[in-house]
C-alpha cells in the first residue's frame, strides 16, 4: 500500500492506495506515528477511495491508531469508504467507533 500525506492547517489527510493488509503495517505505523507526534496536527483523515481490499490485521491497525490518537488528543476520520471496504466497516460496526464520512 502507498500512502500520500497531505497537510492543511491542523488536519492531515492520508490517502491510502492499494491493499490494506498485514504487509502495510510498517508504512502505516511509521506514517501515523510521525503525524501523531506533530503538535500542530489535531485530526487525521484516512481516505479509503483507492483501497479495494482490507483485512482483519488492517482493522486491528485502525483500532490501535484510534487508541494512540486518543492518547495524543487527536481525532480520526475515515473518508470515502466504498465497496468491499464499506461492507467490512459496516459488518464490524466501525461506525460506532469511528467518524465515517
Amino acid at each position: 500500500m502507498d500512502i500520500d500525506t497531505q497537510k492543511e492547517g491542523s488536519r492531515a489527510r492520508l490517502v491510502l492506495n492499494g491493499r490494506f493488509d498485514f504487509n502495510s503495517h510498517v508504512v502505516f505505523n511509521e506514517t501515523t506515528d510521525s503525524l501523531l507526534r506533530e503538535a500542530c496536527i489535531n485530526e487525521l483523515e484516512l481516505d479509503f477511495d483507492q483501497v479495494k481490499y482490507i483485512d482483519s490485521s488492517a482493522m486491528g491497525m485502525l483500532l490501535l491508531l484510534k487508541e494512540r490518537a486518543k492518547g495524543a488528543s487527536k481525532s480520526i476520520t475515515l473518508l470515502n469508504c466504498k465497496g468491499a471496504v464499506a461492507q467490512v466497516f459496516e459488518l464490524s460496526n466501525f461506525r460506532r467507533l469511528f467518524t465515517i464520512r
Side-chain angles (χ1 to χ4, degrees), residues 54-84:
I54 186 168
D55 71 4
S56 60
S57 63
M59 296 182 67
M61 287 182 257
L62 291 172
L63 293 172
L64 290 172
L65 172 61
K66 181 177 173 45
E67 285 182 25
R68 293 190 336 259
K70 183 179 179 182
S73 300
K74 298 178 191 295
S75 65
I76 304 292
T77 304
L78 309 181
L79 304 174
N80 300 316
C81 305
K82 58 188 178 184

Side-chain angles (χ1 to χ4, degrees), residues 3-16:
I3 302 176
D4 178 35
T5 304
Q6 305 163 355
K7 297 178 190 176
E8 184 177 314
S10 64
R11 185 177 337 155
R13 179 174 288 194
L14 288 78
V15 180
L16 311 175

